[in-house]
Amino acid sequence: MEKFFRLKENKTTVRTEIVAGITTFMAMAYILMVNAGMFSALGTVSYGAIYIATAISAVIGTVLIGLLANLPLA
C-alpha cells in the first residue's frame, strides 16, 4: 500500500487515512440528510428527489476533483 499511495512521501499513515475516510463518509452522510431536509421543507420537491440529486452531485464532484486535480477532497 505504501508504494501505491506513496504514504511516506505525503507524510501520512494508513491509520490517518482510514480515520480521514471514516470522517469524510460521516460528514457526507450528514450532508445528504440535512440538504434533503432543508429543500424538501420548501414543499416544491420531494425529500427523495433532493437526496438522490445531492448524492449524484457529490459523486460527480468527488470523482472529478480526484481525477482532474489529483486531490483527496469530497
Side-chain angles (χ1 to χ4, degrees):
M1 236 160 60
E2 162 57 38
K3 289 180 183 179
F4 186 76
F5 292 111
R6 300 185 314 243
L7 297 176
K8 287 183 183 171
E9 180 183 318
N10 293 316
K11 298 176 185 157
T12 188
T13 63
V14 173
R15 182 181 186 280
T16 300
E17 294 302 315
I18 289 173
V19 170
I22 292 169
T23 303
T24 301
F25 175 80
M26 297 301 283
M28 295 293 270
Y30 172 76
I31 291 299
L32 281 172
M33 300 297 176
V34 171
N35 198 36
M38 285 186 337
F39 282 103
S40 67
L42 297 174
T44 56
V45 183
S46 71
Y47 181 88
I50 294 296
Y51 187 91
I52 296 297
T54 302
I56 290 171
S57 64
V59 167
I60 291 170
T62 301
V63 169
L64 285 176
I65 201 159
L67 294 175
L68 299 177
N70 197 25
L71 293 171
L73 302 175

